[in-house]
Amino acid sequence: MSRRRKTPVQIDVVEPAACSVDVRRAILQKVPFLNGLSASDIDVVNEQFREFGFEPGESIYFSGETAVNLYVVAAGQVKLLRHSVSGQDVLLDVLQPGDYFGNLSTLADDVYPDTAQAHTAVCVLSISSEAFRTLLSQYPSVALSVLDITTRRLRDTQKIVQQLSTDSAEQRLAAVLLKLADKLGEVTSDGILIQMPLSRDDLAQMTGTTTETASRIISQFQKEGVVHGGRQWIAITNKAKLEAIAGTEDPA
Amino acid sequence: MSRRRKTPVQIDVVEPAACSVDVRRAILQKVPFLNGLSASDIDVVNEQFREFGFEPGESIYFSGETAVNLYVVAAGQVKLLRHSVSGQDVLLDVLQPGDYFGNLSTLADDVYPDTAQAHTAVCVLSISSEAFRTLLSQYPSVALSVLDITTRRLRDTQKIVQQLSTDSAEQRLAAVLLKLADKLGEVTSDGILIQMPLSRDDLAQMTGTTTETASRIISQFQKEGVVHGGRQWIAITNKAKLEAIAGTEDPA
DNA sequence: CGCTACGTTGATCGCACTCAAGTATAGTGG
DNA sequence: CCACTATACTTGAGTGCGATCAACGTAGCG
């Protein structure tokens, strides 16, 4: 059997230059909640943003810090997580380019409830919460878009609460793989590849289990021919079966 | 020892008359996200609402139904829950007068992700999602208020995800009691009484456990003198200790 | 006054956590 | 180019929390 390559996941090179002022407008035009704005409006908005780059693992802000900014992912992926006192982290979301995070309320003494960490090399745009708030007042259509996105996230998070309350670790793992495949899936010779670096530990933090349990379940999935993966990557080879597992109980 | 009364929880009598057209304006004026509107604006909005009454246990809508309305609690309490295929329900939230629920997006083929059920006798006001959407466009300050409320709910729900992922059943129970006391607490001779009918089963559905486990833990809390409760009610007698339990681990 | 729903308590079982050791892979420097 | 190292991943053995099944007590309602 042939030797497997390092990882089938394509690592984007995010250079500082790729995040310069010149291309910011192009990025902003693709941000979902700004799609109601004209080119000249975008230019006005563009003025208010600053850009920053982060290496994988670097934190963009920590939970507990005074929350003064709103961020938009320009390139790369950002993890939102919460630390518990016992040391284990919970991974709430993995944000893609165009997603917002941070604070959008203007209460001065508000703090970030979660920590934002660069998962890959990322470029983010930032704006003060106050300025963003003004923007929302000026452009009601933007406010409604942001409201829709937030409502969608609330629903998704409520679904996770349900899964944590009623489903087994195996079911939750299957569900999270399907969700990621839906967002980042790419059909390859390995199956539906999830286009992001994804460790067993990441999966554990997303499903409320331990690294060991996640590893055992993924190994089991591999034996059953449901997924195919390696170090920091995973692909789905039998989506139907995975859906059956994620459902109420396996259909056996 | 003297005989205990039925329940110290005060049951509001919600009569149809208490929910009539005449008092709707008064109710709407107290709704948090409408507080930026003038009296005449309220009157215009008032025209668009209809009122409905429900008995305890009745469903206002079911998950899966086409989502066409947005609701506001006028009186009583409404439970938001999700059913799992295995038959167990997850209680996501208990809504108070002034809280909104239902659908606020206007995608025609959208369905309710959760079920709304009257917890007590309730009166709700309803408006079509479309009309509410128009309202949000006309009054940007209302849209921002709704966005703030939704963001707050998202954060609260994310906290629950963390608790389900990292905390023990005992810790989650303590945390939910403290949260309810914060919202509905009333100082009485029994301690901080949670002003709502609250069964062991409700607590179980809020914390992702079973009725039996919730009962065992509440019994334990009673032995430790932390809470005091009976059929469908509970009061906190030692808040500091409960907070210690809800924290990382008991301080022993 | 009996029926029904809520609550309690006990016994048993199993999923997933914990602790522990060991393997494999990718990047690093000689 | 290859040994070296760090990190990811795997696998095993033992344990315990909480689910499940079961039976019984109890309060409130009609």
Side-chain angles (χ1 to χ4, degrees), chain A residues 108-150:
Chain A
D109 57 343
D110 218 1
V111 298
Y112 297 114
D114 45 33
T115 293
Q117 193 178 68
H119 185 233
T120 62
V122 297
C123 171
V124 299
L125 307 181
S126 83
I127 186 175
S128 82
S129 303
E130 201 180 342
F132 190 72
R133 193 80 173 181
T134 305
L135 196 86
L136 294 181
S137 302
Q138 287 170 341
Y139 302 100
S141 73
V142 175
L144 288 188
S145 286
V146 172
L147 179 56
D148 284 344
I149 291 165
T150 307

Side-chain angles (χ1 to χ4, degrees), chain A residues 2-71:
Chain A
S2 69
R3 222 178 120 61
R4 173 147 295 286
R5 63 198 170 292
K6 299 195 275 193
T7 175
V9 176
Q10 182 195 326
I11 308 295
D12 290 333
V13 180
V14 177
E15 305 188 39
C19 199
S20 68
V21 186
D22 296 335
V23 293
R24 273 206 329 238
R25 194 190 304 116
I27 289 165
L28 287 176
Q29 277 170 339
K30 289 183 197 159
V31 172
F33 56 80
L34 296 179
N35 68 359
L37 302 189
S38 68
S40 59
D41 287 336
I42 291 277
D43 281 339
V44 173
V45 172
N46 193 9
E47 287 291 315
Q48 317 222 36
F49 278 96
R50 293 285 171 271
E51 80 269 3
F52 299 97
F54 294 90
E55 292 301 305
E58 273 191 283
S59 290
I60 299 163
Y61 59 73
F62 285 99
S63 65
E65 285 181 9
T66 309
V68 290
N69 287 322
L70 182 127
Y71 297 87

Side-chain angles (χ1 to χ4, degrees), chain B residues 97-117:
Chain B
D99 286 338
Y100 86 83
F101 62 104
N103 181 41
L104 48 73
S105 146
T106 46
L107 304 171
D109 58 342
D110 219 359
V111 297
Y112 297 113
D114 45 33
T115 293
Q117 192 177 69

Side-chain angles (χ1 to χ4, degrees), chain B residues 26 47 52 56 79 83 104 106 121-122 144 147 153 157 159 164 166 179 181 203 210 218 221 230 244:
Chain B
E47 288 290 315
F52 299 97
K79 286 197 279 203
H83 314 289
L104 48 73
T106 46
V122 298
L144 287 188
L147 179 57
R153 284 193 196 170
T157 308
K159 174 149 198 181
L164 287 167
T166 66
K179 186 171 72 178
L203 289 170
T210 58
I218 296 296
F221 283 173

Side-chain angles (χ1 to χ4, degrees), chain B residues 210-225:
Chain B
T210 58
T211 310
E212 294 94 329
T213 295
S215 179
R216 275 183 246 271
I217 292 171
I218 296 296
S219 295
Q220 181 63 28
F221 283 173
Q222 298 218 52
K223 273 180 207 150
E224 293 168 1

Side-chain angles (χ1 to χ4, degrees), chain A residues 193-209:
Chain A
L193 174 69
I194 294 172
Q195 258 299 344
M196 66 176 284
L198 190 64
S199 68
R200 304 294 180 269
D201 209 46
D202 291 328
L203 288 171
Q205 290 181 358
M206 284 188 234
T207 51
T209 52

Side-chain angles (χ1 to χ4, degrees), chain A residues 6 168-169 208-210 212-213 216 231:
Chain A
K6 299 195 275 193
S168 67
T209 52
T210 58
E212 294 93 327
T213 296
R216 274 182 246 272
R231 194 188 176 90

